[in-house]
PDB file of all heavy atoms in Angstrom:
ATOM      1  N   THR A1392      -4.562  10.351 -10.465  1.00 86.00           N
ATOM      2  CA  THR A1392      -3.667  11.477 -10.171  1.00 86.00           C
ATOM      3  C   THR A1392      -2.529  11.089  -9.230  1.00 86.00           C
ATOM      4  O   THR A1392      -1.578  11.849  -9.063  1.00 86.00           O
ATOM      5  CB  THR A1392      -4.439  12.664  -9.547  1.00 86.00           C
ATOM      6  OG1 THR A1392      -4.908  12.289  -8.253  1.00 86.00           O
ATOM      7  CG2 THR A1392      -5.586  13.104 -10.438  1.00 86.00           C
ATOM      8  N   LEU A1393      -2.646   9.921  -8.594  1.00 87.00           N
ATOM      9  CA  LEU A1393      -1.603   9.478  -7.663  1.00 87.00           C
ATOM     10  C   LEU A1393      -0.430   8.895  -8.427  1.00 87.00           C
ATOM     11  O   LEU A1393      -0.583   8.366  -9.526  1.00 87.00           O
ATOM     12  CB  LEU A1393      -2.153   8.413  -6.710  1.00 87.00           C
ATOM     13  CG  LEU A1393      -3.357   8.795  -5.856  1.00 87.00           C
ATOM     14  CD1 LEU A1393      -3.798   7.598  -5.028  1.00 87.00           C
ATOM     15  CD2 LEU A1393      -3.028   9.974  -4.963  1.00 87.00           C
ATOM     16  N   ASN A1394       0.758   8.953  -7.783  1.00 88.00           N
ATOM     17  CA  ASN A1394       1.872   8.258  -8.410  1.00 88.00           C
ATOM     18  C   ASN A1394       1.704   6.759  -8.159  1.00 88.00           C
ATOM     19  O   ASN A1394       0.874   6.331  -7.349  1.00 88.00           O
ATOM     20  CB  ASN A1394       3.228   8.801  -7.934  1.00 88.00           C
ATOM     21  CG  ASN A1394       3.551   8.479  -6.496  1.00 88.00           C
ATOM     22  OD1 ASN A1394       3.301   7.371  -6.009  1.00 88.00           O
ATOM     23  ND2 ASN A1394       4.135   9.446  -5.797  1.00 88.00           N
ATOM     24  N   ASP A1395       2.448   5.949  -8.859  1.00 84.00           N
ATOM     25  CA  ASP A1395       2.268   4.499  -8.828  1.00 84.00           C
ATOM     26  C   ASP A1395       2.454   3.911  -7.431  1.00 84.00           C
ATOM     27  O   ASP A1395       1.696   3.024  -7.028  1.00 84.00           O
ATOM     28  CB  ASP A1395       3.229   3.824  -9.807  1.00 84.00           C
ATOM     29  CG  ASP A1395       2.975   4.257 -11.237  1.00 84.00           C
ATOM     30  OD1 ASP A1395       1.804   4.494 -11.587  1.00 84.00           O
ATOM     31  OD2 ASP A1395       3.945   4.367 -12.003  1.00 84.00           O
ATOM     32  N   ASP A1396       3.439   4.396  -6.692  1.00 88.00           N
ATOM     33  CA  ASP A1396       3.689   3.876  -5.344  1.00 88.00           C
ATOM     34  C   ASP A1396       2.520   4.174  -4.414  1.00 88.00           C
ATOM     35  O   ASP A1396       2.104   3.327  -3.625  1.00 88.00           O
ATOM     36  CB  ASP A1396       4.973   4.476  -4.758  1.00 88.00           C
ATOM     37  CG  ASP A1396       6.219   4.015  -5.492  1.00 88.00           C
ATOM     38  OD1 ASP A1396       6.186   2.915  -6.094  1.00 88.00           O
ATOM     39  OD2 ASP A1396       7.230   4.742  -5.458  1.00 88.00           O
ATOM     40  N   GLN A1397       1.986   5.377  -4.505  1.00 90.00           N
ATOM     41  CA  GLN A1397       0.849   5.743  -3.665  1.00 90.00           C
ATOM     42  C   GLN A1397      -0.388   4.931  -4.040  1.00 90.00           C
ATOM     43  O   GLN A1397      -1.125   4.471  -3.177  1.00 90.00           O
ATOM     44  CB  GLN A1397       0.548   7.241  -3.808  1.00 90.00           C
ATOM     45  CG  GLN A1397       1.612   8.136  -3.209  1.00 90.00           C
ATOM     46  CD  GLN A1397       1.395   9.594  -3.573  1.00 90.00           C
ATOM     47  OE1 GLN A1397       0.683   9.923  -4.513  1.00 90.00           O
ATOM     48  NE2 GLN A1397       2.034  10.477  -2.827  1.00 90.00           N
ATOM     49  N   ARG A1398      -0.605   4.737  -5.330  1.00 88.00           N
ATOM     50  CA  ARG A1398      -1.767   3.987  -5.787  1.00 88.00           C
ATOM     51  C   ARG A1398      -1.717   2.543  -5.289  1.00 88.00           C
ATOM     52  O   ARG A1398      -2.724   2.000  -4.824  1.00 88.00           O
ATOM     53  CB  ARG A1398      -1.841   4.024  -7.313  1.00 88.00           C
ATOM     54  CG  ARG A1398      -3.151   3.524  -7.871  1.00 88.00           C
ATOM     55  CD  ARG A1398      -3.258   3.645  -9.388  1.00 88.00           C
ATOM     56  NE  ARG A1398      -2.932   4.965  -9.876  1.00 88.00           N
ATOM     57  CZ  ARG A1398      -1.850   5.241 -10.630  1.00 88.00           C
ATOM     58  NH1 ARG A1398      -1.029   4.298 -10.979  1.00 88.00           N
ATOM     59  NH2 ARG A1398      -1.623   6.472 -11.035  1.00 88.00           N
ATOM     60  N   GLU A1399      -0.533   1.917  -5.360  1.00 88.00           N
ATOM     61  CA  GLU A1399      -0.384   0.541  -4.866  1.00 88.00           C
ATOM     62  C   GLU A1399      -0.778   0.442  -3.402  1.00 88.00           C
ATOM     63  O   GLU A1399      -1.500  -0.459  -2.999  1.00 88.00           O
ATOM     64  CB  GLU A1399       1.090   0.105  -4.994  1.00 88.00           C
ATOM     65  CG  GLU A1399       1.407  -0.646  -6.214  1.00 88.00           C
ATOM     66  CD  GLU A1399       2.867  -1.091  -6.218  1.00 88.00           C
ATOM     67  OE1 GLU A1399       3.692  -0.569  -5.447  1.00 88.00           O
ATOM     68  OE2 GLU A1399       3.168  -1.987  -7.004  1.00 88.00           O
ATOM     69  N   VAL A1400      -0.280   1.369  -2.605  1.00 92.00           N
ATOM     70  CA  VAL A1400      -0.526   1.339  -1.163  1.00 92.00           C
ATOM     71  C   VAL A1400      -2.001   1.577  -0.866  1.00 92.00           C
ATOM     72  O   VAL A1400      -2.599   0.879  -0.041  1.00 92.00           O
ATOM     73  CB  VAL A1400       0.378   2.367  -0.442  1.00 92.00           C
ATOM     74  CG1 VAL A1400      -0.014   2.540   0.996  1.00 92.00           C
ATOM     75  CG2 VAL A1400       1.842   1.951  -0.545  1.00 92.00           C
ATOM     76  N   VAL A1401      -2.616   2.525  -1.546  1.00 89.00           N
ATOM     77  CA  VAL A1401      -4.035   2.819  -1.321  1.00 89.00           C
ATOM     78  C   VAL A1401      -4.892   1.616  -1.699  1.00 89.00           C
ATOM     79  O   VAL A1401      -5.814   1.255  -0.956  1.00 89.00           O
ATOM     80  CB  VAL A1401      -4.470   4.075  -2.112  1.00 89.00           C
ATOM     81  CG1 VAL A1401      -5.983   4.194  -2.173  1.00 89.00           C
ATOM     82  CG2 VAL A1401      -3.881   5.321  -1.483  1.00 89.00           C
ATOM     83  N   LEU A1402      -4.602   0.994  -2.824  1.00 87.00           N
ATOM     84  CA  LEU A1402      -5.401  -0.149  -3.250  1.00 87.00           C
ATOM     85  C   LEU A1402      -5.284  -1.314  -2.281  1.00 87.00           C
ATOM     86  O   LEU A1402      -6.282  -1.954  -1.951  1.00 87.00           O
ATOM     87  CB  LEU A1402      -5.011  -0.581  -4.670  1.00 87.00           C
ATOM     88  CG  LEU A1402      -5.413   0.404  -5.768  1.00 87.00           C
ATOM     89  CD1 LEU A1402      -4.850  -0.035  -7.120  1.00 87.00           C
ATOM     90  CD2 LEU A1402      -6.913   0.577  -5.856  1.00 87.00           C
ATOM     91  N   LEU A1403      -4.088  -1.592  -1.803  1.00 89.00           N
ATOM     92  CA  LEU A1403      -3.923  -2.700  -0.862  1.00 89.00           C
ATOM     93  C   LEU A1403      -4.507  -2.371   0.512  1.00 89.00           C
ATOM     94  O   LEU A1403      -5.169  -3.202   1.128  1.00 89.00           O
ATOM     95  CB  LEU A1403      -2.445  -3.075  -0.722  1.00 89.00           C
ATOM     96  CG  LEU A1403      -1.834  -3.812  -1.912  1.00 89.00           C
ATOM     97  CD1 LEU A1403      -0.327  -3.932  -1.749  1.00 89.00           C
ATOM     98  CD2 LEU A1403      -2.464  -5.179  -2.082  1.00 89.00           C
ATOM     99  N   HIS A1404      -4.263  -1.162   0.994  1.00 90.00           N
ATOM    100  CA  HIS A1404      -4.698  -0.796   2.348  1.00 90.00           C
ATOM    101  C   HIS A1404      -6.179  -0.436   2.397  1.00 90.00           C
ATOM    102  O   HIS A1404      -6.952  -1.045   3.138  1.00 90.00           O
ATOM    103  CB  HIS A1404      -3.851   0.370   2.858  1.00 90.00           C
ATOM    104  CG  HIS A1404      -4.121   0.721   4.286  1.00 90.00           C
ATOM    105  ND1 HIS A1404      -5.144   1.567   4.649  1.00 90.00           N
ATOM    106  CD2 HIS A1404      -3.521   0.318   5.435  1.00 90.00           C
ATOM    107  CE1 HIS A1404      -5.155   1.690   5.968  1.00 90.00           C
ATOM    108  NE2 HIS A1404      -4.188   0.941   6.466  1.00 90.00           N
ATOM    109  N   ASP A1405      -6.572   0.542   1.614  1.00 86.00           N
ATOM    110  CA  ASP A1405      -7.935   1.060   1.723  1.00 86.00           C
ATOM    111  C   ASP A1405      -8.961   0.214   0.967  1.00 86.00           C
ATOM    112  O   ASP A1405     -10.103   0.122   1.383  1.00 86.00           O
ATOM    113  CB  ASP A1405      -7.996   2.506   1.221  1.00 86.00           C
ATOM    114  CG  ASP A1405      -7.229   3.457   2.136  1.00 86.00           C
ATOM    115  OD1 ASP A1405      -6.909   3.068   3.272  1.00 86.00           O
ATOM    116  OD2 ASP A1405      -6.941   4.590   1.703  1.00 86.00           O
ATOM    117  N   SER A1406      -8.548  -0.388  -0.126  1.00 84.00           N
ATOM    118  CA  SER A1406      -9.496  -1.165  -0.903  1.00 84.00           C
ATOM    119  C   SER A1406      -9.570  -2.618  -0.442  1.00 84.00           C
ATOM    120  O   SER A1406     -10.652  -3.164  -0.280  1.00 84.00           O
ATOM    121  CB  SER A1406      -9.112  -1.111  -2.378  1.00 84.00           C
ATOM    122  OG  SER A1406     -10.018  -1.839  -3.156  1.00 84.00           O
ATOM    123  N   GLU A1407      -8.428  -3.238  -0.198  1.00 86.00           N
ATOM    124  CA  GLU A1407      -8.405  -4.643   0.214  1.00 86.00           C
ATOM    125  C   GLU A1407      -8.372  -4.820   1.722  1.00 86.00           C
ATOM    126  O   GLU A1407      -8.569  -5.923   2.215  1.00 86.00           O
ATOM    127  CB  GLU A1407      -7.218  -5.375  -0.425  1.00 86.00           C
ATOM    128  CG  GLU A1407      -7.390  -5.610  -1.912  1.00 86.00           C
ATOM    129  CD  GLU A1407      -8.620  -6.426  -2.250  1.00 86.00           C
ATOM    130  OE1 GLU A1407      -8.905  -7.418  -1.552  1.00 86.00           O
ATOM    131  OE2 GLU A1407      -9.299  -6.078  -3.233  1.00 86.00           O
ATOM    132  N   GLY A1408      -8.087  -3.778   2.459  1.00 88.00           N
ATOM    133  CA  GLY A1408      -8.173  -3.835   3.912  1.00 88.00           C
ATOM    134  C   GLY A1408      -6.957  -4.396   4.631  1.00 88.00           C
ATOM    135  O   GLY A1408      -7.035  -4.744   5.809  1.00 88.00           O
ATOM    136  N   TYR A1409      -5.815  -4.452   3.968  1.00 91.00           N
ATOM    137  CA  TYR A1409      -4.608  -4.913   4.648  1.00 91.00           C
ATOM    138  C   TYR A1409      -4.078  -3.806   5.544  1.00 91.00           C
ATOM    139  O   TYR A1409      -4.173  -2.623   5.227  1.00 91.00           O
ATOM    140  CB  TYR A1409      -3.541  -5.340   3.635  1.00 91.00           C
ATOM    141  CG  TYR A1409      -3.932  -6.597   2.900  1.00 91.00           C
ATOM    142  CD1 TYR A1409      -4.365  -6.555   1.588  1.00 91.00           C
ATOM    143  CD2 TYR A1409      -3.908  -7.823   3.543  1.00 91.00           C
ATOM    144  CE1 TYR A1409      -4.753  -7.701   0.921  1.00 91.00           C
ATOM    145  CE2 TYR A1409      -4.290  -8.978   2.890  1.00 91.00           C
ATOM    146  CZ  TYR A1409      -4.715  -8.914   1.589  1.00 91.00           C
ATOM    147  OH  TYR A1409      -5.094 -10.053   0.946  1.00 91.00           O
ATOM    148  N   SER A1410      -3.504  -4.191   6.671  1.00 92.00           N
ATOM    149  CA  SER A1410      -2.938  -3.205   7.595  1.00 92.00           C
ATOM    150  C   SER A1410      -1.660  -2.625   6.990  1.00 92.00           C
ATOM    151  O   SER A1410      -1.099  -3.182   6.042  1.00 92.00           O
ATOM    152  CB  SER A1410      -2.609  -3.874   8.931  1.00 92.00           C
ATOM    153  OG  SER A1410      -1.506  -4.752   8.783  1.00 92.00           O
ATOM    154  N   ALA A1411      -1.210  -1.521   7.550  1.00 93.00           N
ATOM    155  CA  ALA A1411       0.019  -0.891   7.068  1.00 93.00           C
ATOM    156  C   ALA A1411       1.199  -1.858   7.180  1.00 93.00           C
ATOM    157  O   ALA A1411       2.038  -1.936   6.276  1.00 93.00           O
ATOM    158  CB  ALA A1411       0.298   0.392   7.845  1.00 93.00           C
ATOM    159  N   THR A1412       1.242  -2.610   8.263  1.00 93.00           N
ATOM    160  CA  THR A1412       2.319  -3.583   8.451  1.00 93.00           C
ATOM    161  C   THR A1412       2.243  -4.680   7.393  1.00 93.00           C
ATOM    162  O   THR A1412       3.271  -5.091   6.843  1.00 93.00           O
ATOM    163  CB  THR A1412       2.239  -4.203   9.864  1.00 93.00           C
ATOM    164  OG1 THR A1412       2.323  -3.143  10.823  1.00 93.00           O
ATOM    165  CG2 THR A1412       3.347  -5.198  10.099  1.00 93.00           C
ATOM    166  N   GLU A1413       1.032  -5.133   7.083  1.00 92.00           N
ATOM    167  CA  GLU A1413       0.861  -6.165   6.058  1.00 92.00           C
ATOM    168  C   GLU A1413       1.239  -5.630   4.677  1.00 92.00           C
ATOM    169  O   GLU A1413       1.909  -6.324   3.900  1.00 92.00           O
ATOM    170  CB  GLU A1413      -0.581  -6.681   6.069  1.00 92.00           C
ATOM    171  CG  GLU A1413      -0.922  -7.468   7.318  1.00 92.00           C
ATOM    172  CD  GLU A1413      -2.413  -7.710   7.509  1.00 92.00           C
ATOM    173  OE1 GLU A1413      -3.246  -6.968   6.929  1.00 92.00           O
ATOM    174  OE2 GLU A1413      -2.742  -8.648   8.257  1.00 92.00           O
ATOM    175  N   VAL A1414       0.846  -4.409   4.371  1.00 92.00           N
ATOM    176  CA  VAL A1414       1.202  -3.797   3.088  1.00 92.00           C
ATOM    177  C   VAL A1414       2.717  -3.654   2.985  1.00 92.00           C
ATOM    178  O   VAL A1414       3.313  -3.934   1.943  1.00 92.00           O
ATOM    179  CB  VAL A1414       0.500  -2.441   2.889  1.00 92.00           C
ATOM    180  CG1 VAL A1414       1.009  -1.730   1.640  1.00 92.00           C
ATOM    181  CG2 VAL A1414      -1.008  -2.620   2.818  1.00 92.00           C
ATOM    182  N   ALA A1415       3.341  -3.246   4.073  1.00 93.00           N
ATOM    183  CA  ALA A1415       4.798  -3.113   4.086  1.00 93.00           C
ATOM    184  C   ALA A1415       5.467  -4.449   3.782  1.00 93.00           C
ATOM    185  O   ALA A1415       6.411  -4.522   2.991  1.00 93.00           O
ATOM    186  CB  ALA A1415       5.270  -2.573   5.439  1.00 93.00           C
ATOM    187  N   SER A1416       4.954  -5.488   4.387  1.00 91.00           N
ATOM    188  CA  SER A1416       5.503  -6.821   4.150  1.00 91.00           C
ATOM    189  C   SER A1416       5.277  -7.266   2.711  1.00 91.00           C
ATOM    190  O   SER A1416       6.170  -7.821   2.074  1.00 91.00           O
ATOM    191  CB  SER A1416       4.859  -7.819   5.114  1.00 91.00           C
ATOM    192  OG  SER A1416       5.279  -9.129   4.825  1.00 91.00           O
ATOM    193  N   ILE A1417       4.095  -7.020   2.183  1.00 90.00           N
ATOM    194  CA  ILE A1417       3.774  -7.411   0.812  1.00 90.00           C
ATOM    195  C   ILE A1417       4.696  -6.715  -0.181  1.00 90.00           C
ATOM    196  O   ILE A1417       5.233  -7.337  -1.093  1.00 90.00           O
ATOM    197  CB  ILE A1417       2.297  -7.101   0.486  1.00 90.00           C
ATOM    198  CG1 ILE A1417       1.370  -8.038   1.267  1.00 90.00           C
ATOM    199  CG2 ILE A1417       2.022  -7.184  -1.012  1.00 90.00           C
ATOM    200  CD1 ILE A1417      -0.090  -7.607   1.268  1.00 90.00           C
ATOM    201  N   LEU A1418       4.883  -5.408   0.001  1.00 90.00           N
ATOM    202  CA  LEU A1418       5.652  -4.617  -0.960  1.00 90.00           C
ATOM    203  C   LEU A1418       7.142  -4.564  -0.641  1.00 90.00           C
ATOM    204  O   LEU A1418       7.918  -4.028  -1.439  1.00 90.00           O
ATOM    205  CB  LEU A1418       5.084  -3.194  -1.037  1.00 90.00           C
ATOM    206  CG  LEU A1418       3.634  -3.092  -1.507  1.00 90.00           C
ATOM    207  CD1 LEU A1418       3.174  -1.637  -1.474  1.00 90.00           C
ATOM    208  CD2 LEU A1418       3.473  -3.677  -2.897  1.00 90.00           C
ATOM    209  N   GLY A1419       7.532  -5.063   0.525  1.00 91.00           N
ATOM    210  CA  GLY A1419       8.949  -5.048   0.887  1.00 91.00           C
ATOM    211  C   GLY A1419       9.473  -3.661   1.203  1.00 91.00           C
ATOM    212  O   GLY A1419      10.602  -3.319   0.860  1.00 91.00           O
ATOM    213  N   ILE A1420       8.625  -2.854   1.860  1.00 93.00           N
ATOM    214  CA  ILE A1420       9.029  -1.509   2.274  1.00 93.00           C
ATOM    215  C   ILE A1420       8.739  -1.362   3.763  1.00 93.00           C
ATOM    216  O   ILE A1420       8.128  -2.233   4.371  1.00 93.00           O
ATOM    217  CB  ILE A1420       8.288  -0.413   1.452  1.00 93.00           C
ATOM    218  CG1 ILE A1420       6.770  -0.574   1.562  1.00 93.00           C
ATOM    219  CG2 ILE A1420       8.729  -0.451   0.000  1.00 93.00           C
ATOM    220  CD1 ILE A1420       5.956   0.462   0.790  1.00 93.00           C
ATOM    221  N   SER A1421       9.161  -0.259   4.346  1.00 95.00           N
ATOM    222  CA  SER A1421       8.958  -0.075   5.783  1.00 95.00           C
ATOM    223  C   SER A1421       7.535   0.395   6.086  1.00 95.00           C
ATOM    224  O   SER A1421       6.847   0.947   5.220  1.00 95.00           O
ATOM    225  CB  SER A1421       9.957   0.950   6.331  1.00 95.00           C
ATOM    226  OG  SER A1421       9.602   2.250   5.899  1.00 95.00           O
ATOM    227  N   ASP A1422       7.111   0.182   7.342  1.00 94.00           N
ATOM    228  CA  ASP A1422       5.803   0.665   7.791  1.00 94.00           C
ATOM    229  C   ASP A1422       5.702   2.173   7.626  1.00 94.00           C
ATOM    230  O   ASP A1422       4.664   2.695   7.211  1.00 94.00           O
ATOM    231  CB  ASP A1422       5.575   0.320   9.267  1.00 94.00           C
ATOM    232  CG  ASP A1422       5.287  -1.143   9.499  1.00 94.00           C
ATOM    233  OD1 ASP A1422       5.292  -1.922   8.528  1.00 94.00           O
ATOM    234  OD2 ASP A1422       5.039  -1.506  10.663  1.00 94.00           O
ATOM    235  N   GLY A1423       6.772   2.865   7.954  1.00 95.00           N
ATOM    236  CA  GLY A1423       6.780   4.320   7.848  1.00 95.00           C
ATOM    237  C   GLY A1423       6.566   4.791   6.421  1.00 95.00           C
ATOM    238  O   GLY A1423       5.858   5.775   6.176  1.00 95.00           O
ATOM    239  N   THR A1424       7.160   4.079   5.478  1.00 95.00           N
ATOM    240  CA  THR A1424       6.990   4.432   4.069  1.00 95.00           C
ATOM    241  C   THR A1424       5.537   4.218   3.647  1.00 95.00           C
ATOM    242  O   THR A1424       4.958   5.047   2.941  1.00 95.00           O
ATOM    243  CB  THR A1424       7.935   3.591   3.186  1.00 95.00           C
ATOM    244  OG1 THR A1424       9.285   3.839   3.592  1.00 95.00           O
ATOM    245  CG2 THR A1424       7.778   3.933   1.714  1.00 95.00           C
TER     246      THR A1424
END
């Protein structure tokens, strides 16, 4: 039910355990996003 951007972030952060800063770096977006 999530949009693609939300799903990517959830899978990297909640499933793989990367921090928000690490996810931001991986995806090339800001921490706030």
Side-chain angles (χ1 to χ4, degrees):
T1392 67
L1393 302 177
N1394 69 41
D1395 298 326
D1396 293 334
Q1397 291 170 342
R1398 192 176 309 113
E1399 264 183 343
V1400 170
V1401 166
L1402 290 174
L1403 287 171
H1404 186 275
D1405 292 345
S1406 181
E1407 288 301 318
Y1409 291 105
S1410 70
T1412 302
E1413 292 166 339
V1414 173
S1416 175
I1417 290 166
L1418 299 177
I1420 56 180
S1421 72
D1422 286 2
T1424 301

